[in-house]
Amino acid sequence: MKPTLSDYADLIIGNVYAGYKGVGNISLSKEAVMTEVNLTSRRIIAELLSAQRLEKEEFMQEIHTLELEQRDDSPEFFMTPNRNEKIYHAQIPSLLWMPGLDPVSYIGTKNRFEKYIVATGNRYMFQKYSKFHSRLPLVLIQGNDLYILNNKKGVKQLLVRAMFENPLELISAEDPYPVPLHVGDMIVTKLSDQFIRHFRMKNPQPNTQNDIMSIPQQNNEQ
């Protein structure tokens, strides 16, 4: 099983205390370290994917049941000659958008039998009115809003597989963290070195609470 976000934070904290042993009294908040792990993972993922050193499928997460609701009002960009067209809507976590990379792997029926067309920006207008696509289910994502047109079967639940900006909107700190093991090692090494350098540069021998990072005290004993 993959390490959890909590596991990665514990590894980093252990490395920092070991690397700073005997120099002075330091304190690290596990919560703050987990936040840094989450932010750093997104930056490393962007770099590796941009360099084509990894496949995006390695970072995908799934929403197994996304509940849709029919909307009575139509957003302006959905105005069509067909005023009886039903529009379905759901809120989703923010996707991890990167230049030239589609963050969505699959949006469609829960049984994976029917994958819907996903459109963004100008692609929506093209696909909506194209001869081939105009009768097929069409998904538009704008920010945290997901809309679906041509939902003639009245599907009320979708499965979504995509890269999300903040994995913790879908999992807890005790669930397997969605990065490959070697990427997790990169994160641990990078942040361990970063925290150790911070303490050494800020104050080689911190003696007071003001000399320590402004992070709540935490007992490092297991």
Side-chain angles (χ1 to χ4, degrees), residues 76-85 124 128-129 149:
E76 185 175 345
F77 50 81
F78 264 155
M79 290 299 182
T80 73
N82 182 5
R83 294 179 178 274
N84 296 321
E85 186 172 27
Y124 160 69
K128 176 175 170 49
Y129 293 107
L149 279 174

Side-chain angles (χ1 to χ4, degrees), residues 167-196:
L168 296 184
E169 292 193 60
L170 297 176
I171 61 172
S172 76
E174 302 302 327
D175 292 321
Y177 195 65
V179 297
L181 290 176
H182 71 283
V183 175
D185 290 341
M186 292 171 66
I187 294 169
V188 170
T189 299
K190 183 180 181 68
L191 287 179
S192 297
D193 292 344
Q194 182 176 306
F195 278 117
I196 290 171

Side-chain angles (χ1 to χ4, degrees), residues 16-94:
V16 173
Y17 278 100
Y20 208 70
K21 186 176 181 181
V23 179
N25 179 35
I26 63 172
S27 174
L28 274 175
S29 160
K30 186 171 180 178
E31 198 70 31
V33 175
M34 288 194 294
T35 297
E36 285 299 318
V37 170
N38 208 33
L39 293 172
T40 301
S41 74
R42 301 300 95 182
R43 290 193 289 268
I44 290 178
I45 287 171
E47 292 171 3
L48 294 175
L49 289 175
S50 297
Q52 298 184 338
R53 292 170 58 190
L54 287 174
E55 296 294 330
K56 66 178 185 178
E57 281 296 323
E58 298 186 72
F59 305 102
M60 293 289 172
Q61 291 179 275
E62 289 190 358
I63 302 175
H64 298 286
T65 303
L66 182 68
E67 300 283 350
L68 295 171
E69 293 185 355
Q70 186 177 332
R71 285 187 61 142
D72 295 327
D73 61 317
S74 299
E76 185 175 345
F77 50 81
F78 264 155
M79 290 299 182
T80 73
N82 182 5
R83 294 179 178 274
N84 296 321
E85 186 172 27
K86 295 179 180 179
I87 296 173
Y88 292 79
H89 171 261
Q91 289 276 311
I92 62 169
S94 297

Side-chain angles (χ1 to χ4, degrees), residues 97 102 104 107 116-128 137-142 145 147:
W97 295 101
D102 185 353
V104 178
I107 295 180
Y116 295 163
I117 301 165
V118 179
T120 56
N122 294 334
R123 285 174 55 195
Y124 160 69
M125 298 304 295
F126 169 76
Q127 291 174 331
K128 176 175 170 49
L138 177 62
V139 173
L140 174 66
I141 298 174
Q142 288 206 333
D145 293 301
Y147 301 94

